[in-house]
Amino acid sequence: MSGTGSGAILRRRAAGTLLPGFIGTSAPVWVLQAYAEGLSAICLYGDNMASPTQLRELCARLRELAPHALLATDEEGGDVTRLHYLTGSDQPGNAVLGRLDDTQLTRASAAAIGTELVDLGINLSLAPVVDVNSASENPVIGVRSFGDDPDLVARHTAAWIAGLESAGVASCSKHFPGHGDTTTDSHLDLPRVTVDAGTLHRRELVPFAAVVQAGGAAIMTSHIVVEALDPGRPATFSPAILQQVLRSQLGFRGVVITDALDMAGASAGIGIPEAAVRALIAGADMLCLGSGTTGGLYAACLDAIVDAVESGRLPASRLEDAVARNTRLASGFPAVPPAAPPAGSPRVRGTDASPATPVGPRLEEAFDVGPNTAAWLRDPAPAVIVQVESAANMAVGQVPWGPAAADAMTAESAVATGSKVAVVARGLHSGHPAYDAATRLRAAGHPVILVDCGWPRAAADVVTFGASRVVGQALARFLLDGGRPRSTVLPEAGNA
């Protein structure tokens, strides 16, 4: 192909770099047509799921149309889940796993996720999050991180990758070169990291070096400006970051996938098609377009890439290199056709009837329990849990969380006289309505403790470092059983 070619081959190659989502619970006509014209990857989001049966049928249809394509989703386990968007995840999530610091448990959790994905024909998970969460006020990473210690994050990163990829699913570690030291959500704005290069190498880059050492299949870029590496461009658009640091210094040879280009940190002011071109020029291979991709937007991105090659702005060799990497990724993780579910039972988990096995420490061992909690637990009064609505970031979405996901909460108006109350929230901060609820309940004569199901930012008596359904179950047992220890059970890999 020449650098000025504008035919079907060039357009097909451009399609081989795109990772769109789509709107709705069935594949729209434009996706079916795009598959026939070279699209080789699609991403599923929570809004694409209406029921376990519908999700299985959707995956089967997509896999039927494109048996060798990459079918991707953000299945991190913990707070960010797509397969369990309607119920909450049956895995604890990274921060809990990091607190327990058992790499075998981390590997087993990732392997269980991988087994479930493979069962649906999904062969790329946009996980794990390997950011070092060094800023406690981080609005978008938090409990998605294994922790704030680079070495701990690195060893659990390697274990998570090993577990997921052992099941036949490609990993995509994110968000390079590190989104942990930010207090701005890149979905909404363009964060800046201002630390010096030495700090970056001792902290942010340590887990990504572990990704390379572990042979991780893919790495996702972040829409953040890292001033010590490139003060003028977000990492997604920076050749200095993607080619010099990631490729040359760290030696990464896998696929570079962008974070969703519909995020403000990438496309505000320039649009998604232009963001796609800039990312390809910088060194990205696969362009995640976002959940709201339409046929018109997809075509506009194709047009922008073709125009950039024909004008000489995007070297044809760069496009060919990206497509070759994406093709190797798909061939390295060949899709398995979705398995037929057993008679009368959907194969996507999400209920307490899921097969499970004890695999490690009790989840409550990960909790940070303050001094006021012991007296509250000893109090013989009946215990109830009041969960206060707490906004989630866009990565999490509207997923059931905490004790409410475990059917273990009581409405504040229904709290009986003489009860002791655990007020549960997540992302506590000054002015959070949970504090007002606690004040009201104390004024009514109830002994009250405050629980944060997030990363600790403000005063709380118990911090769980996660809000997934299984963490909510463990928290409910801890609070309602008076703190008596109970075994942890997590779904067993191979029993999806």
Side-chain angles (χ1 to χ4, degrees):
M1 181 187 72
S2 68
T4 59
S6 59
I9 293 176
L10 174 55
R11 196 168 183 84
R12 192 171 189 87
R13 285 179 177 164
T17 68
L18 298 182
L19 177 63
F22 58 84
I23 299 167
T25 56
S26 60
V29 172
W30 73 261
V31 168
L32 310 185
Q33 182 64 34
Y35 268 145
E37 296 175 353
L39 178 65
S40 60
I42 202 82
C43 191
L44 298 175
Y45 293 85
D47 291 342
N48 298 130
M49 181 176 180
S51 71
T53 299
Q54 169 271 332
L55 178 62
R56 174 165 295 282
E57 292 173 349
L58 172 60
C59 289
R61 175 61 172 155
L62 292 169
R63 185 53 69 204
E64 175 188 354
L65 291 164
H68 305 299
L70 288 164
L71 187 53
T73 195
D74 289 279
E75 191 59 38
E76 298 175 11
D79 288 25
V80 175
T81 179
R82 303 300 182 234
L83 301 188
H84 302 283
Y85 197 76
L86 304 179
T87 61
S89 177
D90 52 13
Q91 296 297 328
N94 284 5
V96 170
L97 293 169
R99 293 272 296 177
L100 295 171
D101 199 10
D102 178 345
T103 55
Q104 291 303 309
L105 179 59
T106 295
R107 178 171 177 147
S109 179
I113 290 170
T115 298
E116 188 172 14
L117 291 168
V118 162
D119 183 58
L120 288 165
I122 296 172
N123 54 346
L124 171 60
S125 184
L126 303 179
V129 170
V130 307
D131 304 307
V132 179
N133 197 66
S134 53
S136 62
E137 296 296 317
N138 196 313
V140 69
I141 303 301
V143 299
R144 300 167 67 197
S145 166
F146 289 112
D148 58 10
D149 176 78
D151 293 329
L152 178 144
V153 174
R155 63 177 173 268
H156 285 275
T157 291
W160 209 99
I161 290 170
L164 184 78
E165 296 195 354
S166 71
V169 177
S171 68
C172 178
S173 300
K174 56 192 185 186
H175 308 81
F176 188 79
H179 207 315
D181 191 29
T182 61
T183 56
T184 300
D185 186 344
S186 54
H187 291 86
L188 307 173
D189 207 340
L190 179 60
R192 302 186 77 90
V193 173
T194 60
V195 299
D196 59 83
T199 300
L200 289 170
H201 283 274
R202 292 190 302 271
R203 189 177 65 189
E204 273 75 13
L205 297 183
V206 169
F208 289 101
V211 173
V212 176
Q213 184 66 31
I219 285 177
M220 178 176 285
T221 69
S222 61
H223 308 321
I224 62 174
V225 173
V226 184
E227 294 184 358
L229 302 178
D230 187 337
R233 289 171 290 196
T236 299
F237 303 151
S238 172
I241 292 175
L242 299 187
Q243 296 183 32
Q244 295 176 26
V245 178
L246 182 56
R247 295 291 192 200
S248 297
Q249 293 180 21
L250 295 184
F252 181 62
R253 297 292 177 262
V255 169
V256 175
I257 303 176
T258 70
D259 206 346
L261 295 177
D262 63 348
M263 296 164 62
S267 56
I270 63 171
I272 295 172
E274 173 62 16
V277 171
R278 293 187 187 187
L280 272 175
I281 293 171
D285 304 307
M286 190 177 297
L287 311 172
C288 181
L289 302 183
S291 61
T293 309
T294 62
L297 174 59
Y298 175 78
C301 290
L302 280 181
D303 290 340
I305 294 169
V306 169
D307 289 347
V309 174
E310 291 181 335
S311 70
R313 184 181 172 207
L314 172 63
S317 60
R318 172 79 273 276
L319 179 61
E320 291 164 359
D321 176 63
V323 173
R325 290 181 188 278
N326 297 340
T327 301
R328 286 196 297 271
L329 176 62
S331 63
F333 292 87
V336 177
S345 174
R347 288 287 294 269
V348 177
R349 291 191 299 258
T351 69
D352 289 331
S354 304
T357 183
V359 295
R362 296 181 298 272
L363 290 188
E364 54 264 40
E365 292 179 6
F367 299 170
D368 186 2
V369 180
N372 295 331
T373 306
W376 187 91
L377 290 170
R378 289 194 301 268
D379 189 323
V384 296
I385 299 170
V386 171
Q387 183 165 312
V388 177
E389 186 60 37
S390 303
N393 61 57
M394 292 179 70
V396 174
Q398 302 303 311
V399 178
W401 63 277
D407 297 320
M409 65 165 283
T410 299
E412 182 181 345
S413 60
V415 173
T417 301
S419 299
K420 61 182 181 181
V421 184
V423 175
V424 175
R426 63 178 172 186
L428 284 176
H429 56 78
S430 177
H432 195 289
Y435 291 112
D436 293 335
T439 297
R440 290 192 298 269
L441 288 160
R442 289 189 181 107
H446 301 284
V448 174
I449 57 172
L450 196 60
V451 181
D452 190 346
C453 286
W455 189 275
R457 300 182 189 179
D461 299 298
V462 178
V463 181
T464 66
F465 292 85
S468 71
R469 180 170 57 87
V470 73
V471 174
Q473 291 168 341
L475 175 62
R477 291 194 301 265
F478 176 76
L479 296 172
L480 302 180
D481 290 355
R484 289 186 293 274
R486 295 280 297 272
S487 296
T488 292
V489 290
L490 297 177
E492 180 181 9
N495 278 308

